[in-house]
Amino acid sequence: SQQGEEDPQALSIQEGENATMNCSYKTSINNLQWYRQNSGRGLVHLILIRSNEREKHSGRLRVTLDTSKKSSSLLITASRAADTASYFCATDPHDYKLSFGAGTTVTVRA
Amino acid sequence: GAVVSQHPSRVICKSGTSVKIECRSLDFQATTMFWYRQFPKKSLMLMATSNEGSKATYEQGVEKDKFLINHASLTLSTLTVTSAHPEDSSFYICSARGTSGSNEQFFGPGTRLTVL
């Protein structure tokens, strides 16, 4: 069943701006992962944050996790046109069965 | 990174026919593979979990006789959509989890199925 809920559903920003999207979930998790999907393509794994971690960085990506609020955020800094894609959070509730959020569609305008 | 391939990438078939989709882990052994379905502009929905050498575990609401899954080796899982109908048209994505104990899943590029 789908656990993660994301907002906003869609985001349009100017190149160079930051993009922030949020994910909320309902049950306890082992880890939370963020993926990117370009239109009509498969998923690209971006970052995994474990339940005992609060923040993680990877290049221009910054992910936070607040297990008390059951929420996570993904920040993309200095966005580029190539960042245009759909972004999904996925929760892993200890059994490796990922439950995906509805996704946030990000459009970066040149 | 680990690579997962899917074949075919796109298939169009007539209603009533069966379609087989292959998912291969190219450079690692995958003890567990997962099959997802994605409708346009929607999220991925887990259909089933496939473990090498054993029967697949299907999620609630997924017909196991409709979506046959075989995981015959550590590098190959197949999904067969039997007697396909237009409502089965969707984007099917597989993922594979390696044997190293890592939490990461590696996703295939997806297969676009269109049933006429």
Side-chain angles (χ1 to χ4, degrees):
Chain A
S1 61
Q2 191 168 318
Q3 176 171 217
E5 294 295 331
E6 294 171 67
D7 82 275
Q9 289 186 335
L11 186 59
S12 180
I13 56 174
Q14 201 72 32
E15 203 166 25
E17 293 180 340
N18 296 342
T20 301
M21 58 210 86
N22 304 294
C23 169
S24 60
Y25 58 93
K26 295 173 184 167
T27 63
S28 68
I29 59 171
N30 182 39
N31 64 73
L32 185 145
Q33 303 175 38
W34 285 91
Y35 290 84
R36 184 183 74 227
Q37 184 181 35
N38 290 88
S39 181
R41 300 291 192 91
L43 272 71
V44 174
H45 183 266
L46 295 177
I47 201 163
L48 180 154
I49 186 165
R50 301 184 191 285
S51 59
N52 62 353
E53 296 176 311
R54 292 297 165 257
E55 189 171 311
K56 207 161 182 181
H57 296 253
S58 176
R60 293 183 297 111
L61 305 179
R62 174 177 166 254
V63 167
T64 64
L65 178 65
D66 187 335
T67 52
S68 67
K69 295 181 180 178
K70 291 187 168 57
S71 68
S72 174
S73 68
L74 170 66
L75 167 68
I76 305 172
T77 60
S79 64
R80 305 167 182 169
D83 294 329
T84 294
S86 291
Y87 292 82
F88 295 91
C89 69
T91 52
D92 178 356
H94 308 280
D95 62 358
Y96 306 111
K97 290 185 181 181
L98 295 180
S99 181
F100 283 83
T104 296
T105 300
V106 175
T107 303
V108 181
R109 304 186 306 272
Chain B
V3 179
V4 174
S5 70
Q6 277 184 245
H7 178 79
S9 59
R10 190 180 294 266
V11 57
I12 301 172
C13 69
K14 292 182 179 179
S15 187
T17 60
S18 294
V19 175
K20 181 186 282 189
I21 302 169
E22 293 185 348
C23 176
R24 292 183 185 273
S25 55
L26 298 184
D27 50 3
F28 68 102
Q29 292 186 326
T31 50
T32 305
M33 288 184 170
F34 302 89
W35 287 95
Y36 297 84
R37 182 175 182 177
Q38 185 181 30
F39 290 103
K41 300 189 188 303
K42 297 290 185 182
S43 186
L44 281 73
M45 300 297 293
L46 179 65
M47 298 174 66
T49 303
S50 168
N51 291 301
E52 186 266 337
S54 62
K55 289 184 179 180
T57 304
Y58 291 81
E59 294 301 302
Q60 193 172 7
V62 178
E63 299 175 59
K64 61 181 181 181
D65 295 330
K66 173 76 172 175
F67 299 99
L68 300 179
I69 291 172
N70 185 284
H71 193 159
S73 76
L74 283 171
T75 59
L76 173 64
S77 175
T78 60
L79 167 67
T80 302
V81 183
T82 62
S83 187
H85 288 93
E87 58 266 30
D88 298 325
S89 298
S90 191
F91 194 54
Y92 292 88
I93 304 176
C94 72
S95 71
R97 181 172 162 262
T99 57
S100 64
S102 167
N103 292 314
E104 190 172 348
Q105 291 184 26
F106 302 96
F107 283 79
T111 296
R112 172 77 58 196
L113 170 64
T114 303
V115 185
L116 302 176

